[in-house]
Amino acid sequence: MSNIISDALVKFDRDVFLEAVKKALNDGTDPMVLVRDLQEGMRLVGERFKTGNYFLSELMMSADLFSQAMKLIEPKLEGMVRETIGKILIGTPKGDIHDLGKNIFSTVAKGAGFEVVDLGVDVPAERFVEAVEDVKPDILGFSALITTAFESMKTVADALTERGLRDDLKIIVGGGVTIDKVLTYVGADAQTIDAVEGLALCRKFVGQSVGAEKI
Ligand code: B12
């Protein structure tokens, strides 16, 4: 896939990139379509980093551009907040500091009526467990972008089971590098690499009908 937004992000062409995002929003493009274009751009940057064509500084530049675009898109994502339909506790597990995707999912979930409690990044297992006890969420969401975070998520899930906190709690894992095998490894209930699909799954978990957002 190639389009002006993902191309400009990969080339760090700031002016073209931000203009294209603004234009698409003004033309009424679905904000989630734009999020997917941004995600694709980030995937391409990640590939270049992996193959040694880009360095960490380039990853950081792309993240900065991504955040600037999200500031424009977020008001559209927040949409209409209705009554609260459930509570989601979310965080990026210990060892991982990526948060762009987590923030998108949180915005989308809030827009759909979920109360979202965000613990931030590099969150230790004990902090997740304490927060589950305090907040009593319906859903615990992990956002994991590096493979070392898989072990951290498993530690949390095991600790929750040991303390008898797992029975009424659904766990969902999101984030670019996760695959369905993570689900079994962590002992989660769902896994996704797409915020809209994640929202549909969360709605299902709290007994809300699913349909419109499933793409
Ligand atoms: C941007 C980026 C960074 C930025 C992060 C900025 C930030 N504030 O987040 C910076 C520069 C800081 C960074 C640092 C590092 N990074 Co980095 N980074 C990326 C990059 C290019 C994009 C990630 C991203 O934001 N994608 C866009 C978002 C929107 O996508 P997403 O997270 O998947 O989110 C979507 C869905 O998954 C979903 N979602 C996300 N979370 C959740 C949660 C729930 C509950 C639900 C339902 C849904 C959901 O919703 C989102 C919208 O649809 C990726 C490449 C890639 N292919 O992903 C590498 C990548 C993740 N990084 C990588 C690495 C190695 C690092 C570093 C270790 C580099 C270094 N040598 O220091 C450090 C990590 C330090 C640490 N301890 O965490 C590797 C990880 C490899 C691995 N297998 O572990 C990758 C894959 C690059 C690569 N190909 O090598 N990175």
Side-chain angles (χ1 to χ4, degrees):
M1 186 187 92
S2 163
N3 76 25
I4 189 167
I5 290 175
S6 52
D7 283 353
L9 177 59
V10 173
K11 291 178 190 149
F12 313 113
D13 199 340
R14 184 180 178 280
D15 293 344
V16 172
F17 173 68
L18 292 177
E19 268 318 304
V21 171
K22 279 182 200 157
K23 181 171 184 323
L25 284 172
N26 286 339
D27 291 349
T29 305
D30 179 343
M32 275 320 291
V33 168
L34 293 181
V35 167
R36 288 195 177 128
D37 290 343
L38 296 180
Q39 209 173 331
E40 172 63 9
M42 292 305 247
R43 192 189 63 75
L44 295 172
V45 172
E47 265 177 18
R48 292 184 187 193
F49 175 70
K50 197 174 173 183
T51 51
N53 292 316
Y54 278 179
F55 297 104
L56 190 58
S57 53
E58 273 125 344
L59 274 195
M60 291 168 84
M61 273 159 62
S62 64
D64 182 49
L65 279 183
F66 185 101
S67 300
Q68 290 186 43
M70 280 314 296
K71 281 201 184 113
L72 300 171
I73 297 171
E74 253 166 29
K76 307 263 180 194
L77 280 179
E78 274 158 14
M80 340 123 272
V81 181
R82 292 156 297 221
E83 78 218 63
T84 302
I85 59 171
K87 224 187 259 184
I88 301 178
L89 178 71
I90 194 166
T92 301
K94 187 159 181 55
D96 193 342
I97 57 152
H98 296 85
D99 66 358
L100 302 176
K102 170 178 70 59
N103 297 343
I104 292 174
F105 175 70
S106 299
T107 306
V108 168
K110 278 185 213 158
F114 278 99
E115 180 185 337
V116 178
V117 179
D118 186 349
L119 298 178
V121 299
D122 196 21
V123 180
E126 319 81 70
R127 176 78 191 96
F128 273 114
V129 175
E130 280 165 19
V132 167
E133 279 174 327
D134 292 351
V135 174
K136 300 187 178 41
D138 304 289
I139 300 162
L140 170 62
F142 292 119
S143 184
L145 267 291
I146 56 175
T147 35
T148 46
F150 296 177
E151 195 57 43
S152 308
M153 292 188 283
K154 184 170 163 45
T155 307
V156 177
D158 289 350
L160 290 171
T161 306
E162 264 169 40
R163 298 214 200 159
L165 295 166
R166 182 68 178 87
D167 295 347
D168 298 324
L169 179 73
K170 295 289 185 192
I171 298 184
I172 180 165
V173 178
V177 296
T178 66
I179 48 169
D180 56 1
K181 286 200 182 69
V182 174
L183 195 139
T184 331
Y185 182 70
V186 171
D189 300 288
Q191 179 272 335
T192 181
I193 55 166
D194 183 278
V196 177
E197 188 187 42
L199 175 61
L201 289 161
C202 288
R203 291 187 66 173
K204 205 165 156 194
F205 287 153
V206 296
Q208 290 258 323
S209 65
V210 184
E213 46 308 59
K214 190 89 185 163
I215 299 178

